């Protein structure tokens, strides 16, 4: 409790210098994906956006193992309680996956992986050998829906096979399943929970789609574009007007009222029609209160450069591990300006309104 109070005071009163370290080191270990998701800029080949550039815009293609070890060494030395999160772009196809996991475990760090699970069955032994702590599997609905969204006729089946196979090992990593709500799956959310509730998962979670419209990006850039440029993001093939908000609300309420041993979560937690309509129809309206991740995360790209929190954030370099240590980046001049300005702007910049970090 005291620690939380002191951190909150630090963030509010002196955001330019944090006296505590990051909780997560998020890694973009590679710049390629093996699926083509319809609500993702990488999947739709809209590669000029911030989101796409953060995921696939750096070089080399894969994070060198020496760089990975440098990240782990710095983390274990300065922030031993921080977790290493393999998040982008598709970690299971990172060629140094097994060796990097083993190295992080040897240094006493917890590791997590966020994956589409297409190659999970084939890589399960590597995860076990590397003592992976936790696995987050991204699925977009039941079989036909998921396969359509991901552009792969058997991606759901392969993910499920991988999950079931991993669960056969003694002491497997904890597994959670997360689903992004879209126009293609919003009518089957309750059935999705029923389907996966039979598996021994840690958690089932839903995320309302994260996006930036052209209008929101333009409004943001009028005030902040000269140093913190925003782009539209994750809207190329989506149509929010195709979502019947009343049906979506009904699905959410059925899940909330369902008799599930581990109640699923929603991010953000929206229940009434007014909130849901505002989220999808009025993205200029701020719903979240503040960015949580800029005070808890650093994302490192394959080339060693860092951005404020994770792939959805601005393509703004906070530092470079080729020339700086993690502590130097964590309290760099760039981070100081970013955190100070976001606090002055009541916790969120205009283009942050529909980012998961806001909730």
């Amino acid at each position: 409790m005291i620690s939380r109070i002191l951190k909150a005071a630090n963030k509010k009163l002196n955001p330019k210098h944090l006296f505590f370290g990051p909780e997560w080191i998020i890694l973009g270990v590679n710049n390629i994906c093996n699926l083509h998701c319809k609500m993702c800029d990488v999947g739709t080949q809209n590669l000029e956006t911030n989101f796409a550039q953060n995921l696939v815009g750096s070089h080399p293609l894969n994070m060198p193992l020496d760089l990975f070890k440098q990240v782990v060494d710095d983390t274990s030395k300065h922030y031993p309680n921080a977790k290493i999160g393999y998040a982008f772009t598709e970690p299971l196809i990172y060629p140094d996956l097994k060796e990097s996991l083993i190295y992080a475990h040897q240094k006493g760090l917890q590791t997590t992986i966020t994956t589409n699970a297409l190659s999970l069955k084939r890589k399960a032994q590597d995860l076990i050998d590397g003592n992976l702590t936790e696995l987050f599997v991204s699925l977009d609905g039941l079989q036909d829906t998921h396969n359509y969204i991901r552009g792969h006729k058997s991606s759901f089946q392969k993910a499920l096979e991988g999950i079931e196979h991993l669960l056969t090992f003694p002491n497997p990593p904890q597994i959670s399943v997360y689903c992004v709500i879209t126009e293609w799956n919003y009518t089957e959310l309750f059935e999705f929970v029923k389907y996966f509730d039979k598996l021994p998962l840690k958690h089932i979670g839903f995320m309302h789609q994260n996006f930036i419209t052209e209008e929101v990006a333009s409004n943001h850039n009028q005030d902040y574009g000269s140093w913190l440029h925003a782009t539209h993001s994750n809207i190329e093939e989506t149509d929010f007007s195709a979502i019947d908000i009343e049906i979506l609300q009904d699905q959410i309420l059925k899940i909330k009222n369902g008799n599930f041993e581990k109640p699923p979560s929603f991010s953000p937690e929206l229940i009434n029609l007014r909130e849901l309509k505002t989220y999808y129809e009025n993205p200029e309206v701020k719903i979240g209160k503040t960015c949580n991740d800029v005070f808890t995360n650093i994302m490192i790209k394959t080339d060693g450069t860092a951005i404020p929190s994770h792939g959805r954030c601005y393509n703004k370099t906070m530092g470079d591990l080729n020339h700086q240590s993690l502590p130097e980046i964590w309290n760099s001049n760039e981070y100081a300006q970013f955190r100070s300005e976001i606090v002055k702007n009541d916790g969120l910049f205009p283009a942050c309104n529909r980012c998961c970090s806001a909730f």
Side-chain angles (χ1 to χ4, degrees), residues 31-50:
N31 283 339
I32 52 176
C33 188
N34 49 8
L35 290 177
H36 304 282
C37 307
K38 293 182 177 298
M39 68 293 188
C40 172
D41 290 337
V42 176
T44 61
Q45 296 295 298
N46 182 20
L47 302 182
E48 75 276 9
T49 69
N50 281 343

Side-chain angles (χ1 to χ4, degrees), residues 210-348:
N210 296 166
F211 62 95
I212 303 172
T213 64
E214 292 183 355
E215 182 179 5
V216 167
S218 177
N219 290 339
H220 170 100
N221 289 333
Q222 289 181 14
D223 294 324
Y224 300 99
S226 61
W227 71 278
L228 198 65
H229 185 72
T231 64
H232 69 279
S233 182
N234 300 323
I235 60 171
E236 292 298 313
E237 296 188 16
T238 58
D239 178 8
F240 299 126
S241 68
I243 299 176
D244 186 317
I245 299 298
E246 292 186 1
I247 293 177
L248 174 56
Q249 182 199 35
D250 179 67
Q251 288 284 305
I252 294 172
L253 290 174
K254 284 180 68 176
I255 292 170
K256 293 290 186 183
N257 296 326
N259 185 27
F260 301 112
E261 183 178 346
K262 297 177 180 178
S265 65
F266 287 82
S267 177
E269 290 281 354
L270 307 174
I271 296 179
N272 67 54
L273 288 176
R274 179 183 57 80
E275 292 175 331
L276 288 166
K277 286 183 177 180
T278 298
Y279 188 91
Y280 288 101
E281 297 175 6
N282 302 107
E284 75 282 357
V285 176
K286 182 167 70 174
I287 290 181
K289 294 182 178 180
T290 186
C291 175
N292 300 297
D293 287 354
V294 74
F295 295 98
T296 58
N297 296 4
I298 299 177
M299 177 175 162
I300 308 296
K301 297 184 182 183
T302 63
D303 61 0
T305 58
I307 61 172
S309 61
H310 59 73
R312 299 194 187 281
C313 203
Y314 302 92
N315 189 21
K316 178 74 173 177
T317 299
M318 298 290 106
D320 188 342
L321 272 174
N322 294 294
H323 310 290
Q324 298 166 283
S325 66
L326 274 181
E328 289 172 333
I329 294 174
W330 183 240
N331 275 309
S332 65
N333 291 334
E334 292 79 10
Y335 251 131
Q337 181 186 16
F338 190 98
R339 294 183 181 124
S340 178
E341 290 296 325
I342 206 168
V343 168
K344 290 178 184 177
N345 204 59
D346 295 326
L348 296 171

Side-chain angles (χ1 to χ4, degrees), residues 6 18 39-40 47 68 72 75 108 115 126 128 136 172 200 205 218 265 284 294 336 352:
L6 291 175
L18 300 186
M39 68 293 188
C40 172
L47 302 182
F68 177 91
V72 167
T75 304
T115 176
D126 290 348
I128 297 298
F136 305 113
S218 177
S265 65
E284 75 282 357
V294 74
C352 301

Side-chain angles (χ1 to χ4, degrees), residues 27 29-30 60-69 72 86 90-104 111 113 123 126-127 130 302:
L27 300 182
V29 292
N30 58 18
L61 187 67
N62 296 295
M63 178 177 286
L65 186 58
D66 286 345
L67 175 59
F68 177 91
K69 290 181 176 180
V72 167
Y86 297 65
E90 173 43 50
L92 291 190
I93 55 178
Y94 177 48
D96 293 314
L97 179 63
K98 179 179 177 178
E99 188 172 353
S100 64
L101 284 170
I102 290 173
Y103 189 80
T111 52
I113 287 177
K123 293 300 182 76
D126 290 348
L127 306 188
T302 63

Side-chain angles (χ1 to χ4, degrees), residues 63-216:
M63 178 177 286
L65 186 58
D66 286 345
L67 175 59
F68 177 91
K69 290 181 176 180
Q70 180 185 344
V71 173
V72 167
D73 289 343
D74 262 12
T75 304
S76 63
K77 179 180 179 180
H78 301 286
Y79 311 118
N81 294 321
K83 296 180 181 180
I84 300 292
Y86 297 65
F88 305 106
T89 296
E90 173 43 50
L92 291 190
I93 55 178
Y94 177 48
D96 293 314
L97 179 63
K98 179 179 177 178
E99 188 172 353
S100 64
L101 284 170
I102 290 173
Y103 189 80
H105 179 70
Q106 290 172 342
K107 292 291 184 175
L109 299 178
Q110 295 187 58
T111 52
T112 71
I113 287 177
T114 301
T115 176
N116 61 38
L118 186 67
S119 56
L120 179 56
K121 185 175 182 179
R122 181 164 53 87
K123 293 300 182 76
Q125 186 66 58
D126 290 348
L127 306 188
I128 297 298
D129 293 343
N131 289 277
L132 178 71
T133 308
E134 192 163 2
L135 185 73
F136 305 113
V137 178
S138 177
L139 296 172
D140 294 323
L142 298 176
Q143 180 173 305
D144 291 346
T145 302
H146 174 85
N147 290 345
Y148 173 75
I149 293 172
R150 295 296 174 108
H152 190 294
K153 63 181 181 181
S154 58
S155 57
F156 182 90
Q157 298 93 308
K158 287 182 177 295
L160 187 61
E161 287 175 3
I163 292 172
E164 292 175 338
H165 180 61
L166 190 58
L167 289 170
T168 65
F169 288 88
N171 303 312
Q174 293 180 318
I175 304 174
S176 297
V177 167
Y178 284 87
C179 176
V180 176
I181 298 170
T182 66
E183 66 204 73
W184 304 286
N185 66 19
Y186 76 96
T187 61
E188 61 182 48
L189 305 184
F190 182 72
E191 292 300 319
F192 182 89
V193 177
K194 285 175 58 180
Y195 186 93
F196 283 99
D197 189 52
K198 63 188 178 184
L199 294 176
L201 302 176
K202 178 183 178 182
H203 187 69
I204 298 173
F206 293 96
M207 296 177 62
H208 291 280
Q209 188 171 336
N210 296 166
F211 62 95
I212 303 172
T213 64
E214 292 183 355
E215 182 179 5
V216 167

